[in-house]
């Protein structure tokens, strides 16, 4: 790698190493986090994911041990060898070592073989891969399980798969073999028999992760360019690792309460009348709904920050009509600005030099929905400010949230060339470097604009993002399909997004593309009801998939689970309050809290909601029974109260209207009265669902809207249950002036 070590210097928290071929750095960030850095391209980090100084004063010891230099805190030791090989230890035991022997590359296919494969239509893009300009290879001991990496397809445990981090607009049906999707979150949790650790590879170029597929002796991370810049995160448990990663990259902030309600959307609601009819039908059928989404047709010729008055009427009037019935409006905004002299936003961008350019200095043009379009250069602070100010067009007419789409960035005339000129804050850059953070920076600008103009907690949705985007936006998994395999994939996909810091995430309930069925929709709403973002969305050209399209039975089942969602709103809100403090997601794989239990390592069809609820949805067509694994402890059926001993499997009944759910012994779950939308009536009464066993639960309450909670305007209620079933409540914090008028206890189970 870098040759022999010549010298080193300790510079505050950094140890500066001098090798024959290159300089390198090891920085102590905290007692359990260290940064490994080789400045191949820039001297500094220039991170988009990490904002502010994260290194804190930490006691550590540096010792020259001859063949290596030891850098040790109370929690973590790094041993730095010649070549800048870095091994990590805890309590004197190795937990992660660099692989010394070199990668064993797959042989190249001959030109003849490639031509034959291409002729028959095979994808040959995953051919042999050589060593990358930026690369780190880690030894595998054989017992590794891998989690995280954002929205990658496939199963919960990523062992034996390979992936790329390159935000990609892929409308085809996503399968297990897809290496890249819409998001690039290069964060990996490695679970071993005796240890657990995380690595965050902070490099925005196209990068590659191979988790034992190339060779069972190692896993690797490589990138096309940039610095070698990764953070090693140690801890005792998986929650420690998630906490360390979100300490670095930021945590999902507390959202407005209405955003946790049910959302309805479709690309194909092509007029205001259509949207109002759908909204009215939800009220007629008493299916709770908070939000109607406006897809691209509401714009005038797909020009961003305009309104199609011909089909959608007066914008403020249309949105007010929905508001009168309790609906919020969320509007889509794409980054592509129509090339149209005389169109205000295009003219402003040209005058302000806001758009990406060719290497020759011309404004770069591709095509998206408006036709020929240009791309805002969000790496420029002045462009983000301009984009933030443009949100005023939406907020002035009453729009409550913004849905950012097509921001990989997508393009209809081939991918943007790698040498298109963008900006990285104060210096010129390229599409190759800025592609993966384009959606991140667009979301940041949108968030800041909404916050400035409304004073409320912004609701932003994005399709494309990077590590750290959770500070600004919720996400959905993009253009899924109405396929049972995509319902099955939703559980591990959302769980891994949560482990990757993106706690506010969801899939399109029912599937976006293709045609849904009644049974598939009934099973999907049973997953959606527990997903942080709960939205039914479908594509133009597919059959409509509002529940009433499938008959009365489907309506009744759909209503049942949407109502369950609204009952559980205070529990979900509590989990978001916890997430802002700890980084722990709302929807969690069982392995997060039961990592020593090998039955959880590859559990793809169940999940936890917080620590207190196990949800085991049916994900197979025609299935009316479910094999459920319950981890250690005592569990109670959420609906019947039946008692179960943990650490074993059960075959339970699961007819179409039933989703198996289990509460842990001692759980106390807060619930509200069902309303048709958040704010229909005041939440004066809190119901506590109490399950047998000792336990403590802290419930959080604030105004559900603005940032007053950051100044102490919130209440905390601490509930304690004794073994004999006696429950007491004590106010731990009284800062919100509308406490509950009544708290009722509902005892479930024996």
């Amino acid at each position: 790698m870098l040759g022999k070590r010549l010298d080193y210097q300790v510079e505050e928290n950094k140890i500066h190493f001098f090798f024959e071929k290159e300089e390198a750095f090891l920085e102590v960030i905290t007692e359990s986090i260290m940064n490994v850095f080789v400045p191949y391209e820039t001297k500094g980090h220039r991170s988009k994911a990490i904002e502010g100084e994260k290194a804190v004063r930490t006691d550590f010891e540096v010792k020259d041990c001859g063949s290596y230099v030891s850098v040790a805190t109370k929690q973590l030791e790094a041993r730095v060898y010649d070549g800048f090989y870095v091994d990590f230890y805890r309590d004197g035991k190795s937990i992660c070592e660099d692989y010394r022997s070199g990668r064993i590359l797959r042989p190249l296919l001959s030109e003849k073989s490639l031509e034959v494969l291409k002729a028959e239509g095979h994808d040959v893009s995953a051919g042999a891969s050589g060593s990358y300009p930026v690369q780190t290879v880690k030894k595998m001991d054989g017992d590794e399980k891998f989690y995280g990496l954002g929205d990658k397809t496939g199963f919960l445990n990523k062992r034996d798969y390979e992936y790329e981090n390159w935000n990609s607009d892929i409308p085809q049906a996503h399968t297990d073999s897809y290496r890249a999707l819409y998001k690039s979150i290069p964060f990996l949790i490695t679970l071993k028999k005796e240890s657990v650790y995380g690595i965050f590879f902070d490099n925005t170029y196209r990068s590659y992760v191979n988790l034992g597929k190339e060779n069972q002796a190692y896993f690797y991370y490589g990138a096309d360019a940039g610095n070698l810049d990764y953070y090693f995160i140690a801890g005792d448990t998986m929650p420690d690792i998630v906490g360390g990663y979100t300490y670095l990259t930021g945590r999902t902030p507390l959202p407005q309460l209405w955003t946790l309600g049910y959302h309805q959307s479709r690309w194909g609601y092509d007029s205001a009348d259509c949207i109002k009819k759908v909204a009215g039908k939800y009220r007629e059928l008493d299916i709770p709904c908070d939000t109607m989404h406006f897809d691209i047709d509401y714009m005038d010729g797909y020009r961003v920050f305009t309104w199609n008055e011909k089909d959608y009427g007066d914008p403020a009037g249309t949105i007010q009509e929905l508001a009168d019935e309790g609906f919020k409006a969320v509007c889509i905004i794409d980054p592509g600005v129509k090339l149209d002299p005389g169109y205000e936003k295009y003219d402003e961008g040209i005058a302000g030099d806001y758009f990406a350019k060719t290497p020759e200095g011309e404004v770069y043009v591709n095509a998206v929905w408006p036709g020929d379009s240009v791309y805002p250069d969000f790496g420029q602070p002045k462009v983000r400010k301009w984009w933030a100010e443009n949100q005023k067009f939406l907020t002035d007419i009453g729009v409550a949230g913004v849905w950012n789409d097509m921001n990989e960035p997508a393009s209809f005339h081939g991918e943007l060339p790698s040498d298109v000129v963008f900006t990285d804050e104060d210096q010129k850059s390229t599409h190759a470097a800025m592609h993966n953070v384009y959606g991140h920076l667009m979301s940041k600008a949108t968030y800041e604009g909404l916050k400035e103009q409304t004073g409320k907690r912004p609701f932003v949705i994005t399709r494309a993002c990077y590590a750290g985007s959770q500070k600004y936006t919720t996400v959905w998994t993009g253009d899924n399909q109405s396929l049972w395999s995509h319902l099955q994939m939703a559980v591990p996909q959302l769980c891994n997004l949560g482990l990757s810091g993106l706690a506010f995430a969801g899939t399109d309930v029912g599937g976006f593309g293709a045609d849904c069925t009644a049974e598939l929709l009934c099973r999907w709403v049973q997953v959606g009801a527990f997903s942080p973002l709960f939205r039914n969305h479908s594509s133009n050209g597919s059959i409509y998939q509002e529940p009433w399209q499938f008959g009365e039975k489907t309506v009744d089942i759909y209503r049942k689970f949407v109502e369950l969602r609204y009952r559980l709103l205070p529990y979900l809100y509590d989990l978001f309050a916890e997430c802002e403090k700890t980084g722990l997601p709302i929807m969690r794989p069982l392995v997060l809290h039961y990592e020593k239990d090998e039955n959880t390592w590859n559990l793809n069809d169940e999940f936890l909601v917080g620590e207190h609820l196990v949800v085991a949805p049916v994900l197979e067509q025609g299935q009316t029974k479910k094999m459920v694994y319950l981890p250690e402890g005592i569990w109670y059926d959420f609906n019947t109260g039946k008692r179960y001993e943990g650490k074993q499997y059960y075959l339970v009944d699961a007819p179409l209207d039933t989703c198996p759910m289990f509460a842990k012994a001692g759980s106390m779950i807060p619930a509200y009265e069902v309303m048709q939308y958040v704010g229909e009536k005041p939440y004066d009464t809190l119901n506590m669902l109490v399950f047998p066993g000792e336990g403590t639960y802290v419930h959080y309450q604030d105004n559900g809207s603005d940032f007053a909670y950051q100044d102490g305007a919130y209440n905390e209620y601490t509930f304690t249950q004794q073994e004999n079933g006696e429950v007491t409540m004590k106010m731990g914090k009284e800062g919100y002036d509308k406490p509950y008028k009544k708290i009722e206890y509902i005892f479930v189970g024996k």
Side-chain angles (χ1 to χ4, degrees):
M1 289 176 68
L2 305 187
K4 290 188 176 296
R5 171 170 56 89
L6 304 176
D7 197 4
Y8 70 90
Q9 296 174 358
V10 179
E11 303 166 355
E12 296 183 341
N13 279 37
K14 289 183 181 179
I15 298 85
H16 186 172
F17 290 92
F18 301 88
F19 294 93
E20 290 175 315
K21 300 178 182 178
E22 187 67 75
E23 297 177 51
F25 298 85
L26 185 96
E27 183 175 8
V28 177
I29 307 298
T30 69
E31 284 192 340
S32 56
I33 303 175
M34 294 184 184
N35 174 246
V36 175
F37 185 76
V38 181
Y40 290 127
E41 184 171 284
T42 62
K43 291 184 178 180
H45 293 282
R46 303 191 70 86
S47 178
K48 302 298 174 290
I50 300 173
E51 298 183 16
E53 180 56 61
K54 296 299 179 180
V56 298
R57 181 180 292 276
T58 304
D59 291 332
F60 64 94
E61 182 181 14
V62 181
K63 185 185 298 184
D64 191 337
C65 299
S67 62
Y68 65 89
V69 173
S70 169
V71 181
T73 71
K74 292 179 181 178
Q75 297 293 327
L76 180 63
E77 178 191 7
R79 297 181 182 179
V80 181
Y81 294 81
D82 285 347
F84 201 45
Y85 290 107
V86 184
D87 299 339
F88 292 95
Y89 287 72
R90 293 196 79 205
D91 301 321
K93 297 179 181 178
S94 168
I95 59 172
C96 179
E97 298 181 9
D98 275 338
Y99 185 72
R100 268 63 165 187
S101 299
R103 286 173 51 201
I104 302 171
L105 305 179
R106 282 186 288 172
L108 286 166
L109 290 170
S110 68
E111 287 297 324
K112 181 179 179 181
S113 295
L114 286 171
E115 289 302 319
V116 170
L117 288 167
K118 286 180 184 177
E120 200 181 5
H122 291 278
D123 178 11
V124 296
S125 60
S129 57
S131 293
Y132 299 101
V134 179
Q135 179 175 283
T136 184
V137 185
K138 303 295 183 184
K139 177 185 173 185
M140 283 173 57
D141 294 320
D143 62 342
E144 289 85 357
K145 282 75 61 181
F146 297 109
Y147 307 98
L149 294 180
D151 66 343
K152 300 296 187 278
T153 60
F155 302 102
L156 182 68
N157 179 5
K158 301 304 185 185
R159 173 71 182 264
D160 297 329
Y161 287 83
E162 63 177 337
Y163 300 99
E164 292 182 16
N165 290 305
W166 187 251
N167 293 354
S168 302
D169 174 18
I170 301 175
Q172 295 82 13
H174 309 147
T175 65
D176 303 349
S177 63
Y178 275 51
R179 296 186 298 280
L181 216 53
Y182 304 97
K183 301 162 186 65
S184 292
I185 317 293
F187 168 63
L188 187 67
I189 299 173
T190 303
L191 176 64
K192 300 170 70 176
K193 186 176 181 181
E194 301 296 336
S195 62
V196 61
Y197 61 86
I199 304 179
F200 169 43
F201 305 98
D202 195 6
N203 181 312
T204 64
Y205 285 89
R206 186 191 292 263
S207 61
Y208 312 84
V209 183
N210 191 299
L211 302 174
K213 181 177 180 179
E214 182 173 271
N215 192 288
Q216 291 292 305
Y218 58 79
F219 69 95
Y220 73 76
Y221 168 86
D224 285 345
N227 299 320
L228 177 63
D229 187 359
Y230 71 84
Y231 294 80
F232 190 91
I233 305 163
D236 295 327
T237 65
M238 282 182 69
D240 291 340
I241 307 307
V242 174
Y245 169 70
T246 55
Y247 166 76
L248 291 172
T249 62
R251 291 171 178 153
T252 300
L254 193 61
Q256 294 190 63
L257 184 59
W258 67 264
T259 67
L260 304 185
Y262 175 73
H263 301 241
Q264 180 61 45
S265 181
R266 178 177 171 85
W267 175 30
Y269 292 156
D270 57 7
S271 69
D273 285 344
C274 184
I275 288 177
K276 286 185 280 189
K277 284 178 182 177
V278 172
K281 192 69 173 178
Y282 273 102
R283 293 290 181 256
E284 176 189 332
L285 294 173
D286 291 325
I287 301 174
C289 183
D290 263 275
T291 310
M292 296 299 299
H293 288 238
F294 288 67
D295 211 318
I296 55 176
D297 294 309
Y298 84 88
M299 292 182 273
D300 178 15
Y302 307 127
R303 296 171 180 85
V304 293
F305 306 114
T306 66
W307 191 269
N308 171 8
E309 294 194 17
K310 176 178 179 292
D311 296 317
Y312 290 83
D314 170 63
T318 295
I319 290 171
Q320 186 59 52
E321 284 186 57
L322 289 170
D324 290 343
E325 298 300 320
F327 291 95
K328 302 288 195 300
V330 169
C331 287
I332 198 169
I333 289 287
D334 296 338
V337 175
K338 183 176 177 62
L339 195 165
D340 184 14
Y343 160 42
E344 183 181 35
K345 298 309 160 193
Y346 175 77
D347 291 346
E348 287 176 0
I350 292 296
D353 196 23
Y354 293 161
F355 300 130
K357 294 184 176 180
T358 67
E360 293 74 31
E362 301 295 323
V363 172
Y364 175 76
V365 180
N366 204 302
V368 278
W369 298 117
D372 284 351
S373 301
V374 294
Y375 292 81
D377 181 5
F378 290 119
Q380 293 189 58
K382 69 176 183 179
V383 175
R384 293 199 299 275
K385 183 175 184 293
W386 171 67
W387 197 260
E389 290 168 349
N390 276 309
Q391 308 306 312
K392 193 173 189 298
F393 170 80
L394 299 171
T395 58
D396 280 354
I397 60 176
V399 171
V402 176
W403 164 22
N404 288 337
D405 196 13
M406 303 290 285
N407 55 351
E408 290 73 31
S411 50
F412 291 172
H413 293 165
E415 187 174 276
L416 278 66
S418 61
D419 61 355
V420 169
V421 179
F422 284 86
T423 305
D424 180 1
E425 302 302 323
D426 57 352
Q427 65 184 37
K428 291 299 178 185
S429 188
T430 64
H431 177 240
M434 301 302 290
H435 173 92
N436 280 339
V437 293
Y438 192 80
H440 172 87
L441 295 171
M442 180 186 182
S443 298
K444 181 178 181 178
T446 304
Y447 176 94
E448 290 173 345
L450 293 179
K451 183 177 181 181
E452 174 68 25
Q453 288 146 31
T454 69
K456 296 181 178 179
R457 307 168 203 169
F459 182 59
V460 182
I461 311 177
T462 190
R463 189 169 73 176
C465 65
Y466 184 68
S469 292
Q470 64 268 13
K471 297 186 290 290
Y472 305 113
T473 183
T474 179
V475 300
W476 92 106
T477 57
D479 294 348
N480 63 357
Q481 304 267 322
S482 299
L483 303 170
W484 285 94
S485 60
H486 279 205
L487 172 59
Q488 293 154 16
M489 187 168 65
V491 173
Q493 201 170 29
L494 291 176
C495 285
N496 272 320
L497 277 165
L499 293 178
S500 305
L502 292 157
F504 200 169
T507 64
D508 287 340
V509 170
F512 176 71
D515 291 335
C516 197
T517 66
E519 183 186 4
L520 180 58
L521 186 64
C522 288
R523 291 307 190 187
W524 212 313
V525 76
Q526 294 169 27
V527 173
F530 301 100
S531 303
L533 178 64
F534 185 19
R535 182 181 74 160
N536 180 323
H537 181 51
S538 57
S539 173
N540 204 353
S542 68
I543 65 171
Y544 283 77
Q545 64 186 38
E546 302 84 9
W548 54 86
Q549 307 292 346
F550 301 93
E552 185 176 353
K553 181 180 178 181
T554 300
V555 166
D556 290 343
I557 293 171
Y558 207 88
R559 182 192 299 111
K560 173 182 176 179
F561 285 95
V562 177
E563 287 183 345
L564 175 61
R565 169 65 166 229
Y566 278 74
R567 285 177 63 205
L568 293 177
L569 280 178
Y571 181 57
L572 296 170
Y573 198 63
D574 284 346
L575 293 174
F576 272 98
E578 177 190 5
C579 178
E580 188 172 55
K581 296 176 182 177
T582 67
L584 290 178
I586 287 73
M587 187 172 174
R588 308 173 184 178
L590 272 69
V591 69
L592 180 63
H593 292 294
Y594 301 95
E595 63 191 58
K596 299 298 184 184
D597 184 347
E598 64 181 26
N599 293 294
T600 70
W601 295 344
N602 298 287
L603 195 56
N604 293 288
D605 61 350
E606 298 179 25
F607 55 90
L608 286 160
V609 182
E611 278 193 76
H612 300 280
L613 287 180
V614 165
V615 180
V618 170
L619 307 175
E620 299 279 351
Q621 189 273 331
Q623 192 177 79
T624 57
K625 291 185 181 293
K626 174 77 177 189
M627 184 66 76
V628 176
Y629 179 73
L630 294 175
E632 64 182 353
I634 304 298
W635 297 84
Y636 292 89
D637 185 291
F638 184 82
N639 295 304
T640 69
K642 182 178 177 180
R643 184 179 186 273
Y644 291 86
E645 296 276 349
K647 211 158 188 183
Q648 55 187 301
Y649 288 89
Y650 294 92
L651 185 64
V652 301
D653 289 330
L656 188 58
D657 67 347
T658 299
C659 176
M661 299 166 53
F662 304 87
K664 195 170 187 178
S667 294
M668 289 168 280
I669 308 293
Y672 283 153
E673 172 191 356
V674 172
M675 298 185 189
Q676 292 304 296
Y677 56 92
V678 171
E680 182 183 19
K681 294 181 290 186
Y683 288 116
D684 290 335
T685 300
L686 180 70
N687 296 314
M688 292 299 294
L689 308 179
V690 181
F691 295 84
E694 291 183 299
T696 300
Y697 184 85
V698 178
H699 170 60
Y700 175 91
Q701 180 195 28
D702 66 15
N703 66 22
S705 178
D706 59 27
F707 291 91
Y709 75 99
Q710 294 181 347
D711 296 320
Y714 63 91
N715 296 331
E716 283 186 345
Y717 305 76
T718 300
F719 295 89
T720 303
Q721 181 181 190
Q722 307 297 330
E723 186 63 41
N724 63 6
E726 180 184 349
V727 179
T728 58
M729 188 279 289
K730 182 179 180 181
M731 292 288 288
K733 165 76 176 177
E734 297 182 63
Y736 176 51
D737 61 2
K738 295 180 181 178
Y740 299 111
K741 294 179 180 178
K742 185 190 300 184
I743 297 176
E744 296 184 346
Y745 300 96
I746 301 170
F747 293 88
V748 185
K750 296 180 180 178

